């Protein structure tokens, strides 16, 4: 059972970015905690209670939490740096897993997780290849018409 006190404490930790605030944002969003606090919408709650983070910041943190959960459900939310997860969020969910596994394989030895730069380079490469593939298939469709 959610209590108003624990919900207010959750908001405090999110605002201060204390503890595992990414998990708190994830739980706040999926648990509809804003309604317990008497707000009609999540946006209204963020605007009033989390102005420092703001709507954009809240959704950035939530996007990172979703990616982290997607790439490995056994991870504790908050272990991987936000910057790394933001890079992966540019990809469809299945490709996030693929690129993450590839990044872990080529990460420098001694690092627990790949760097944001390494992940960014892999994501950029994947996006370029996907765009080229889309252009090529589009070209084949047009060129296969009989114009005469």
């Amino acid at each position: 059972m959610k209590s108003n006190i624990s919900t207010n404490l959750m908001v405090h930790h999110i605002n201060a970015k204390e503890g595992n605030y990414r998990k708190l944002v994830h739980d706040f969003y999926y648990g509809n905690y804003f309604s317990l606090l008497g707000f009609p919408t999540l946006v209204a709650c963020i605007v009033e209670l989390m102005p420092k983070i703001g709507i954009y910041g809240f959704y950035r943190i939530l996007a990172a939490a979703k990616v982290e959960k997607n790439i490995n459900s056994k991870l504790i939310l908050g272990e991987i740096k936000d910057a790394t997860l933001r890079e992966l969020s540019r990809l469809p969910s299945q490709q996030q897993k693929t690129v993450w596994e590839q990044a872990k394989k080529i990460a420098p030895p001694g690092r627990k997780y790949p760097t944001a730069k390494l992940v960014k380079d892999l994501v950029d490469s994947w996006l370029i290849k996907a765009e080229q593939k889309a252009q090529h298939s589009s070209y084949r469709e047009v060129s296969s018409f009989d114009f005469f």
Side-chain angles (χ1 to χ4, degrees):
M1 176 76 185
K2 306 171 199 173
S3 77
N4 209 358
I5 294 169
S6 65
T7 303
N8 283 324
L9 189 58
M10 181 184 274
V11 169
H12 168 76
H13 287 300
I14 291 170
N15 275 322
K17 289 191 172 181
E18 292 176 344
N20 191 343
Y21 66 92
R22 191 181 308 141
K23 181 179 181 341
L24 293 174
V25 164
H26 181 272
D27 293 349
F28 193 87
Y29 178 81
Y30 286 104
N32 293 318
Y33 281 86
F34 65 89
S35 61
L36 182 64
L37 294 170
F39 289 93
T41 66
L42 175 64
V43 171
C45 181
I46 294 169
V47 168
E48 187 167 327
L49 298 180
M50 303 177 207
K52 188 175 179 183
I53 290 177
I55 298 165
Y56 178 73
F58 186 92
Y59 280 102
R60 273 180 61 154
I61 296 166
L62 181 61
K66 286 179 180 180
V67 170
E68 194 168 20
K69 231 175 156 59
N70 179 44
I71 60 175
N72 186 350
S73 60
K74 294 175 187 164
L75 283 174
I76 298 170
L77 287 180
E79 287 190 5
I80 303 170
K81 291 185 178 182
D82 286 347
T84 304
L85 296 169
R86 279 194 302 271
E87 294 300 337
L88 287 168
S89 72
R90 297 166 41 209
L91 296 173
S93 57
Q94 187 54 44
Q95 280 66 38
Q96 290 170 359
K97 292 177 184 180
T98 303
V99 169
W100 177 249
E101 290 304 317
Q102 185 181 6
K104 286 190 334 188
K105 287 178 186 172
I106 62 174
R111 292 195 62 92
K112 187 171 181 179
Y113 297 112
T115 63
K117 167 101 173 72
L118 173 63
V119 172
K120 179 188 183 317
D121 292 345
L122 290 173
V123 167
D124 289 345
S125 174
W126 189 90
L127 290 171
I128 288 169
K129 287 176 186 172
E131 177 66 26
Q132 289 171 342
K133 186 177 178 181
Q135 287 176 350
H136 181 69
S137 67
S138 172
Y139 173 76
R140 283 191 301 163
E141 289 174 20
V142 171
S143 64
S144 67
F145 288 118
D146 185 9
F147 290 104
F148 299 101

